[in-house]
Amino acid sequence: MTVDQAYSILYTVVLICLAALIAVAIIRTFIGPRITDRILAVNMIGTIVITAFMILTTLLQESYLADVALIYAMVSFVAVLIFSAVYIRKNKEDR
């Protein structure tokens, strides 16, 4: 077994583990008792997807995937900001 094959197997196993973590975070998004749990789960999903994109960049040796990961990071950040703003506004109205 060469080093490249070992890295390929390692990256594949890590991607499978990340997929399992995304599934757990999606479940947490739907059953989270509070809105803050849901916001954190969505943020965690975004972080895991960015990590998966960067691993795929290395595994497939496609540099454009790094650009996709950066764009996804910006979109994910803005989405969490919007979710937080909606939560804060809703919390102020409830008082």
Side-chain angles (χ1 to χ4, degrees):
M1 176 183 297
T2 66
V3 175
D4 290 336
Q5 290 173 337
Y7 274 123
S8 178
I9 292 170
L10 175 68
Y11 292 150
T12 304
V13 169
V14 169
L15 286 172
I16 291 169
C17 291
L18 290 176
L21 288 174
I22 288 174
V24 170
I26 288 173
I27 292 170
R28 186 63 175 174
T29 300
F30 288 120
I31 65 168
R34 294 184 307 258
I35 192 73
T36 53
D37 296 329
R38 292 182 172 125
I39 291 172
L40 281 172
V42 168
N43 192 20
M44 187 170 71
I45 290 169
T47 303
I48 294 171
V49 168
I50 292 165
T51 306
F53 270 122
M54 295 310 291
I55 291 171
L56 282 173
T57 300
T58 307
L59 180 65
L60 301 176
Q61 297 178 351
E62 297 289 341
S63 62
Y64 71 89
L65 289 174
D67 297 333
V68 172
L70 288 172
I71 292 169
Y72 188 84
M74 289 185 275
V75 170
S76 176
F77 176 71
V78 170
V80 170
L81 284 179
I82 291 171
F83 288 150
S84 298
V86 168
Y87 171 70
I88 289 170
R89 187 172 300 131
K90 183 182 176 198
N91 195 16
K92 284 183 181 178
E93 289 175 359
D94 288 345
R95 288 184 188 178

